[in-house]
């Protein structure tokens, strides 16, 4: 659906050039919710603004739905851009226009009849839950309501792609969740491809199917959210996932304790995904192998709709029994990483 090929973006000239994107390749499938996560200055905004050519790349190609946008003339580009909606961190609403008129704005630009606008805007107001606010001005709305107007306006042109530029960064956690739920709902309802940029792992974890981690203008890691989130490879990715389980302190603690333990001990990270999260696999296995365990840290949460659990445990017992325990866990579909 979206292909970015060798995308480079440089700002400035001569010896004052800042390279924001460094020959970046990215591919987003139709119907996916694709997240790009990175620290401030990593190139996220530049990347998302290049997808609809709000920002023209210095070199490389942007393909959306089989069309090379970078090769188009202004008029054709305007037509293609209408198929790409966008929402913003600070909403970008017209402050002197009502909710209704803000949503109607893109339809008026293409001379849609008043009766068609009325039908469309009313449908969108219902979709985003703002039926009772149609005649209000942005200043009379909460942040979450303003973003709902932004979403309705972006959907008015029936886009195939929705770009979300830090769309929840200015919102409190509860409102963030309600906006993420709305994005998930419209993704499912319209099979709308969504690309979002964020610096918050929580956003990725809540609604994304796939994620790319951007650092210094390049993608350092990408894949399904469960692969990237549960088995982060790159140090930057680990930075983002650290909040969940932080090994370093635990490892020190575990190694210290293992030196005073008479039997062998081994610290492992066990990952459960999907239905296995709620099964009693661990207790059944250790009962069978005669190994003891201490839980050093654990979490159970969800990745989009999929439950997952991660435990860091210290196994204690004969080393053969510990190896057997790990093999049995792996054979039952758990991921086990020996970390100490
Ligand atoms: P992010 O969205 O991840 O914070 P940006 O895409 O905004 O990153 O910025 C990437 C790099 O490009 C940064 O070094 C930033 O200072 C630079 N940059 C972004 N926009 C401009 C601009 N209009 N002019 C000059 N440099 C810019």
């Amino acid at each position: 659906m979206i292909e970015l090929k060798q995308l480079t973006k440089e700002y400035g000239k001569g010896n004052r050039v800042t390279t924001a994107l460094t020959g970046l390749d990215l591919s987003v499938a139709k119907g996916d919710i694709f997240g790009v996560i990175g620290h401030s200055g990593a190139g996220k905004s530049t990347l998302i603004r290049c997808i609809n050519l709000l920002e023209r790349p210095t070199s490389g190609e942007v393909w959306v739905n089989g069309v090379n946008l970078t090769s188009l003339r202004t008029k054709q580009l305007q037509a293609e851009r209408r198929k790409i909606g966008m929402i913003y961190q600070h909403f970008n609403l017209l402050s002197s226009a009502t909710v209704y008129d803000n949503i109607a704005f893109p339809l008026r630009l293409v001379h849609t009849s008043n009766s068609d606008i009325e039908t469309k805007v009313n449908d969108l107001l219902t979709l985003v839950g703002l039926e009772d606010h149609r005649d209000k001005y942005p200043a009379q709305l909460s942040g979450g309501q303003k973003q709902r107007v932004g979403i309705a306006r972006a959907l008015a042109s029936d886009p195939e792609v929705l770009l979300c530029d830090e769309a929840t960064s200015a919102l409190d956690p509860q409102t963030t969740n309600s906006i993420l739920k709305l994005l998930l709902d419209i993704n499912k309802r319209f099979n709308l491809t969504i690309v979002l940029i964020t610096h918050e792992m929580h956003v990725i974890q809540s609604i994304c199917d796939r994620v790319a981690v951007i650092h210094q203008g390049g993608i350092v890691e990408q894949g399904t959210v469960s692969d990237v989130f549960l088995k982060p490879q790159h140090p930057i990715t680990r930075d983002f996932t650290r909040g969940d389980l932080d090994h370093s302190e635990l490892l020190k603690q575990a190694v210290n304790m293992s030196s005073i333990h008479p039997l062998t001990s081994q610290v492992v990270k066990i990952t459960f995904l999907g239905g296995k999260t709620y099964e009693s696999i661990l207790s059944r296995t250790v009962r069978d192998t005669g190994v003891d365990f201490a839980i050093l840290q654990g979490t159970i949460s969800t990745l989009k709709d999929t439950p997952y659990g991660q435990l860091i445990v210290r196994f204690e017992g004969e080393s053969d029994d510990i190896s057997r325990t790990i093999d049995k866990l792996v054979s039952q579909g758990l991921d086990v990483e020996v970390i100490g």
Side-chain angles (χ1 to χ4, degrees), residues 11-12 18-20 38-47 197:
Y11 293 105
T18 305
T19 306
H39 291 303
S40 179
K44 303 182 294 296
S45 278
T46 305
L47 170 60
I197 60 165

Side-chain angles (χ1 to χ4, degrees), residues 11-277:
Y11 293 105
K13 284 209 166 75
N15 55 4
R16 295 185 138 197
V17 166
T18 305
T19 306
L21 300 176
T22 56
L24 178 149
D25 291 308
L26 198 70
S27 166
V28 179
K30 183 161 177 55
D32 261 6
I33 304 186
F34 194 105
V36 178
I37 190 165
H39 291 303
S40 179
K44 303 182 294 296
S45 278
T46 305
L47 170 60
I48 203 158
R49 290 161 61 84
C50 278
I51 297 178
N52 58 3
L53 296 201
L54 271 183
E55 206 68 77
R56 208 162 249 286
T58 308
S59 63
E61 293 177 359
V62 177
W63 290 74
V64 178
N65 216 5
V67 179
N68 179 0
L69 299 188
T70 25
S71 73
L72 298 183
R73 290 168 185 280
T74 314
K75 253 210 149 56
Q76 294 166 303
L77 179 59
Q78 279 172 351
E80 290 303 320
R81 265 203 192 126
R82 276 198 280 283
K83 302 177 194 165
I84 309 174
M86 190 158 186
I87 59 173
Y88 307 86
Q89 179 174 4
H90 297 296
F91 323 119
N92 292 10
L93 303 180
L94 297 167
S95 57
S96 57
T98 62
V99 166
Y100 183 93
D101 288 334
N102 264 285
I103 301 171
F105 185 74
L107 298 171
R108 292 200 173 114
L109 276 185
V110 293
H111 311 295
T112 310
S113 72
N114 280 340
S115 65
D116 284 354
I117 290 179
E118 178 81 22
T119 311
K120 184 82 191 175
V121 175
N122 284 335
D123 286 351
L124 287 166
L125 284 167
T126 308
L127 178 76
V128 301
L130 290 179
E131 305 94 317
D132 299 336
H133 302 276
R134 58 173 271 160
D135 297 322
K136 288 190 179 161
Y137 288 88
Q140 298 169 288
L141 302 176
S142 69
Q145 289 168 334
K146 284 182 200 166
Q147 196 55 289
R148 284 171 187 270
V149 180
I151 292 170
R153 180 183 57 184
L155 295 181
S157 317
D158 294 321
E160 290 162 11
V161 174
L162 179 66
L163 306 177
C164 309
D165 186 355
E166 295 273 7
T168 56
S169 295
L171 305 175
D172 63 60
Q174 207 177 347
T175 312
T176 291
N177 286 340
S178 75
I179 294 296
L180 293 178
K181 215 164 146 256
L182 178 60
L183 290 175
L184 196 54
D185 178 44
I186 58 180
N187 160 259
K188 285 191 177 145
R189 202 184 283 226
F190 305 119
N191 195 28
L192 183 71
T193 308
I194 297 182
V195 181
L196 62 85
I197 60 165
T198 182
H199 59 275
E200 293 172 302
M201 200 64 203
H202 162 74
V203 170
I204 303 284
Q205 183 183 349
S206 301
I207 63 166
C208 291
D209 302 297
R210 298 181 69 83
V211 59
V213 183
I214 185 170
H215 178 58
Q216 294 180 342
I219 303 296
V220 294
E221 189 164 355
Q222 65 171 308
T224 63
V225 173
S226 54
D227 278 349
V228 173
F229 186 81
L230 298 175
K231 288 183 243 167
Q233 304 295 321
H234 193 276
I236 295 293
T237 318
R238 287 178 198 259
D239 257 11
F240 283 109
T241 57
R242 194 176 313 247
D244 230 45
L245 280 183
D246 181 357
H247 305 174
S248 53
E249 276 309 306
L250 290 167
L251 210 54
K252 272 189 229 150
Q253 198 181 324
V255 169
N256 288 343
M257 295 204 47
S258 60
S259 59
I260 54 165
H261 201 275
L263 291 169
T264 313
S265 75
Q266 194 150 48
V267 179
V268 297
K269 179 166 80 174
I270 306 172
T271 303
F272 311 77
L273 194 60
K276 294 192 188 302
T277 308

Side-chain angles (χ1 to χ4, degrees), residues 261-297:
H261 201 275
L263 291 169
T264 313
S265 75
Q266 194 150 48
V267 179
V268 297
K269 179 166 80 174
I270 306 172
T271 303
F272 311 77
L273 194 60
K276 294 192 188 302
T277 308
Y278 304 123
E279 290 179 28
S280 47
I281 297 175
L282 182 58
S283 66
R284 269 191 276 119
T285 304
V286 293
R287 197 180 315 132
D288 186 35
T289 57
V291 164
D292 287 322
F293 69 91
I295 298 175
L296 303 179
Q297 195 175 352

